[in-house]
Amino acid sequence: MDKFRTLFQHFQSSSESVMNGICLLLAMVTVKLYSSFDFNCPCLARYNALYGLGLLFTPPIALFLCGLLANRQSVVMVEEWRRPAGHRRKDPGIIRYMCSSVLQRALAAPLVWILLALLDGKCFVCAFSSSVDPEKFLDFANMTPSQVQLFLAKVPCKEDELVRNSPARKAVSRYLRCLSQAIGWSLTLLLIVLAFLARCLRPCFDQTIFLQRRYWSNYVDLEQKLFDETCCEHARDFAHRCVLHFFASMQSEMRARGLRGDSACRGPETPEKFEPPEGLDGGSGKAHLRAVSSQEQVDHLLSTWYSSKPPLDLTASSGLWGGGLSHRAPTVVPGTRASPHTDV
């Protein structure tokens, strides 16, 4: 259980590991979908190419969009690209790095589908059976052009009466399948070579820019996560205080109207307990949350966060940070003990 807990915490704290896991999961789903798909070519000259090419490229487009939707960094990238500059300058290099990372993961499942389809050859045979040059095959010498086109359109349907047990159909199908597999293996080799060169040649160049962009892209993602978590924490604290304030005001109103309930039955030795509106933990760790205590302040703070992100400089003036929904603990005076509620 400790190993599973450690693994879960690692995936929870690492967005890159989560995205790699989702990418691998989409690739496995792609293989399963293709293996369970029932391929039926229409065997009509007008629709063979449309069906074959559509089946070759339409599912990859859908898988690519699913990869973009499943990747949280795609939304963070667009937000970073479209946000106002405010007190923090925008670095196009970080956006390009995030875009490259998102595209690499989103293209994994579509490429798996295309490679499987090419290595299998059914889509390719269906799409290009009517485009084969009949002069390459001696069996079409005694056929008219219309008969040749009809025969070629029926090549993917081996159970059709026109092409059943025909050597010409087997020759055309074998030719197209070999061509499809050659393209598939060539594409596979090309991708492997590119990945090998990218992995082996990258250490030969200066890693400073790469490390900087990787660090700040992770920072942007983690900052947004921490902001969302802090907003949820503040919303829970704010709702709790509003409920306590409501009960306190209702208790005061009932006292004013003389509706003391069962308080008259209690003896004078039992004092009536009252929970103040600040009934939550009043430690200094939540002082930064309690400072924002009205709807107008919350709306202004959220608007400021979107329109004017704080500068990436902890020595900057605290007025630029707003001090509202910060995930940092208050400054500890030297010689004093830090609060146990200090956030990371």
Side-chain angles (χ1 to χ4, degrees):
M1 290 300 295
D2 293 337
K3 293 183 179 179
F4 285 108
R5 188 180 298 108
T6 303
L7 184 63
F8 176 75
Q9 291 176 353
H10 171 71
F11 277 97
Q12 191 178 28
S13 60
S14 177
S15 297
E16 187 174 355
S17 299
V18 172
M19 293 304 104
N20 290 336
I22 294 176
C23 175
L24 179 62
L25 181 62
L26 284 176
M28 295 174 62
V29 169
T30 301
V31 175
K32 183 63 177 178
L33 284 176
Y34 188 85
S35 60
S36 61
F37 183 76
D38 188 14
F39 183 85
N40 292 310
C41 186
C43 295
L44 297 174
R46 294 183 178 181
Y47 301 104
N48 280 7
L50 183 62
Y51 182 82
L53 294 178
L55 193 61
L56 184 62
F57 294 109
T58 302
I61 293 175
L63 291 170
F64 176 75
L65 296 178
C66 289
L68 292 180
L69 291 175
N71 195 336
R72 183 180 179 274
Q73 280 196 343
S74 59
V75 179
V76 176
M77 177 194 65
V78 175
E79 291 178 352
E80 180 67 16
W81 174 46
R82 296 296 300 170
R83 71 170 177 85
H87 299 292
R88 181 189 303 179
R89 67 180 182 88
K90 293 192 292 186
D91 188 356
I94 297 176
I95 300 176
R96 288 195 297 268
Y97 178 86
M98 297 177 70
C99 181
S100 174
S101 177
V102 168
L103 290 180
Q104 288 177 15
R105 294 185 174 94
L107 286 174
L111 287 176
V112 169
W113 178 279
I114 292 175
L115 292 177
L116 287 176
L118 289 175
L119 294 177
D120 185 51
K122 293 180 181 178
C123 295
F124 197 87
V125 172
C126 180
F128 297 101
S129 61
S130 300
S131 304
V132 174
D133 185 7
E135 295 182 357
K136 295 181 179 181
F137 304 93
L138 300 177
D139 301 282
F140 299 110
N142 298 327
M143 296 184 183
T144 62
S146 59
Q147 290 177 338
V148 171
Q149 290 300 319
L150 180 61
F151 185 91
L152 292 177
K154 299 292 184 180
V155 166
C157 302
K158 60 182 179 180
E159 300 298 331
D160 191 274
E161 296 181 357
L162 182 62
V163 297
R164 184 183 301 171
N165 299 326
S166 174
R169 188 206 70 81
K170 295 181 180 179
V172 173
S173 178
R174 189 184 307 111
Y175 168 76
L176 292 175
R177 192 179 294 271
C178 291
L179 185 60
S180 176
Q181 292 179 351
I183 296 174
W185 283 115
S186 300
L187 183 59
T188 303
L189 179 62
L190 177 63
L191 293 175
I192 294 175
V193 170
L194 291 177
F196 174 79
L197 292 177
R199 179 59 64 89
C200 294
L201 296 180
R202 190 176 68 182
C204 300
F205 299 93
D206 186 12
Q207 298 293 299
T208 304
I209 298 179
F210 171 76
L211 292 176
Q212 290 174 350
R213 292 177 178 176
R214 181 177 182 180
Y215 174 88
W216 289 116
S217 64
N218 290 333
Y219 171 85
V220 171
D221 188 17
L222 291 174
E223 182 189 51
Q224 188 61 40
K225 283 184 177 180
L226 292 175
F227 181 78
D228 294 339
E229 292 174 1
T230 310
C231 286
C232 292
E233 183 182 355
H234 178 270
R236 182 179 181 83
D237 180 87
F238 189 54
H240 195 175
R241 286 189 291 159
C242 286
V243 171
L244 292 178
H245 181 73
F246 170 75
F247 276 93
S249 61
M250 288 299 297
Q251 188 174 14
S252 301
E253 182 179 352
M254 286 188 294
R255 283 178 178 176
R257 295 182 180 182
L259 301 176
R260 299 185 58 84
D262 60 345
S263 60
C265 299
R266 293 195 297 261
E269 69 281 357
T270 307
E272 184 177 1
K273 294 183 180 180
F274 171 71
E275 187 176 4
E278 302 293 334
L280 292 174
D281 180 18
S284 59
K286 290 192 176 181
H288 57 301
L289 298 180
R290 292 176 178 275
V292 183
S293 56
S294 67
Q295 183 178 359
E296 291 75 13
Q297 291 178 343
V298 173
D299 292 341
H300 175 69
L301 190 142
L302 295 177
S303 176
T304 304
W305 174 264
Y306 171 75
S307 61
S308 182
K309 288 288 184 69
L312 297 176
D313 185 5
L314 298 181
T315 62
S317 175
S318 59
L320 295 177
W321 287 83
L325 294 180
S326 174
H327 223 279
R328 301 187 177 274
T331 304
V332 180
V333 180
T336 61
R337 185 178 180 181
S339 172
H341 300 284
T342 301
D343 297 322
V344 178

